Amino acid sequence: MAKRKRCTVEEFATIKRIQYDETTQCVKLSNMTEIVKSWIVRGEVSSVSSLRLCTIGKAQKSVLNFELRDDTGVVRATAYGKTADRIHDKLQNGMNMQINNFKIKAVNPAFNSTGNDYEIEVDERTLIRELIGCPATGGEKKTVHFTEFHDIQSTTDTAINVIGVIKRVGDIKEIPTQSSGKILLKRDVTLMDDKKNTCVVTMWNDDAKDWIYVPRDIITISGAGVNEFCGFYSVKLYRTFVVVKDAVNEKSVMLKGLLDELMPESQ
DNA sequence: CCCCCCCC
């Protein structure tokens, strides 16, 4: 394996933009096992998590997740520390990226909802570049799989993606915990699908406080967990979740068309 | 290197 080089200072200051080059050999996102031969992937940014502070070893470090998609699949990537700080507000959905010199690791399906068997780890030698001049063609981009509300019960150990119309946004509730006496903030949001099935999504703390979406919004939630209580299943949000309003996918468009039928405005 | 989100 070739020795990998550190980023230059200039590359750390921003995401460098480079011209699309069709002769660059890239691995398709669904073929990540072949990555050892190439170490380059290309894809469109389809999801960016919030930047969160995690304790890693003894240090506090930023952690950021984002997802790329191409015509074959979706891959989740993780960046840490200064790299995460540097790129988190520069990554935009729809940007075409090229990533060189990353690490690859097997996913933990409890935290990865892409359907890919592998994910990308960005380190200090990884080059993340915005590709300009990408050809418009190249086939339909893959999207992640949405779990139907009635299938949520079979996915308790797996991160999932859900989509629906917001039927109801609950108030914030203060929940005292038995163990630590800490007060938790909680908010429940009810989603409705195209068949008027519903599903409750629970947000905690800052995510509960900062919730901005309202009834009749069509949202997709990626990277959610499944919660079970007394045989009742609901969706809970991990810190890495991403909510997108009016996401560009077939289901979102379909729900938009059914909106007045599902959720009349007079209600 | 994260990976956790907690209550009835």
Side-chain angles (χ1 to χ4, degrees):
Chain A
M1 200 180 305
K3 201 167 186 182
R4 297 189 293 149
K5 196 179 78 197
R6 278 181 186 277
C7 284
T8 64
V9 173
E10 180 211 345
E11 281 162 346
F12 260 97
T14 184
I15 294 178
K16 194 172 172 182
R17 303 177 87 201
I18 59 166
Q19 192 67 33
Y20 173 85
D21 178 356
E22 62 173 5
T23 64
T24 303
Q25 288 293 309
C26 290
V27 165
K28 290 291 187 182
L29 298 182
S30 62
N31 283 333
M32 296 275 291
T33 47
E34 295 174 21
I35 212 72
V36 284
K37 295 178 200 157
S38 167
W39 294 98
I40 302 175
V41 292
R42 269 199 294 248
E44 177 195 288
V45 177
S46 55
S47 167
V48 184
S49 80
S50 58
L51 190 70
R52 61 197 192 283
L53 207 56
C54 298
T55 305
I56 301 173
K58 285 182 182 170
Q60 289 272 99
K61 271 190 189 179
S62 303
V63 180
L64 176 75
N65 294 103
F66 60 96
E67 289 174 8
L68 294 181
R69 59 179 189 164
D70 67 8
D71 56 331
T72 70
V74 182
V75 70
R76 182 185 193 235
T78 309
Y80 299 92
K82 287 196 173 66
T83 308
D85 293 334
R86 170 176 77 89
I87 66 175
H88 91 275
D89 59 355
K90 300 189 179 74
L91 289 177
Q92 305 280 349
N93 282 347
M95 273 171 74
N96 288 297
M97 310 298 296
Q98 179 170 301
I99 305 185
N100 303 32
N101 295 347
F102 48 86
K103 286 182 187 160
I104 179 171
K105 76 171 206 186
V107 304
N108 178 344
F111 305 107
N112 185 314
S113 57
T114 62
N116 204 317
D117 292 335
Y118 297 93
E119 60 184 34
I120 286 174
E121 278 202 355
V122 172
D123 68 17
E124 69 276 12
R125 289 171 173 80
T126 302
L127 298 179
I128 302 173
R129 284 152 166 180
E130 182 179 0
L131 272 181
I132 52 176
C134 285
T137 52
E140 196 68 19
K141 298 284 199 301
K142 280 277 181 199
T143 56
V144 295
H145 171 256
F146 292 110
T147 299
E148 299 288 343
F149 295 165
H150 55 78
D151 288 333
I152 283 174
Q153 61 200 69
S154 61
T155 53
T156 45
D157 299 324
T158 314
I160 59 169
N161 310 298
V162 290
I163 183 165
V165 181
I166 295 181
K167 184 184 178 192
R168 181 178 172 274
V169 177
D171 294 328
I172 289 190
K173 293 196 178 93
E174 293 191 353
I175 311 277
T177 50
Q178 301 280 352
S179 49
S180 64
K182 209 167 64 171
I183 303 283
L184 305 174
L185 301 178
K186 175 188 161 171
R187 189 201 294 277
D188 282 345
V189 171
T190 307
L191 294 184
M192 184 190 272
D193 70 10
D194 56 308
K195 297 171 200 77
K196 295 198 177 184
N197 298 314
T198 60
C199 163
V200 171
V201 182
T202 304
M203 264 81 55
W204 294 94
N205 301 324
D206 283 350
D207 300 328
K209 220 166 43 184
D210 299 340
W211 186 257
I212 56 171
Y213 303 100
V214 297
R216 288 175 54 90
D217 280 353
I218 294 161
I219 59 168
T220 71
I221 301 175
S222 53
V226 175
N227 190 51
E228 188 269 341
F229 178 67
C230 290
F232 179 75
Y233 292 87
S234 61
V235 172
K236 62 182 175 185
L237 296 192
Y238 292 129
R239 290 303 320 221
T240 47
F241 79 94
V242 175
V243 176
V244 177
K245 186 183 165 181
D246 294 332
V248 183
N249 64 58
E250 273 175 32
K251 277 203 157 181
S252 179
V253 171
M254 188 255 287
L255 285 166
K256 192 117 203 164
L258 292 171
L259 190 55
D260 286 329
E261 187 185 320
L262 294 170
M263 287 280 294
E265 250 176 302
S266 55
Q267 273 187 14

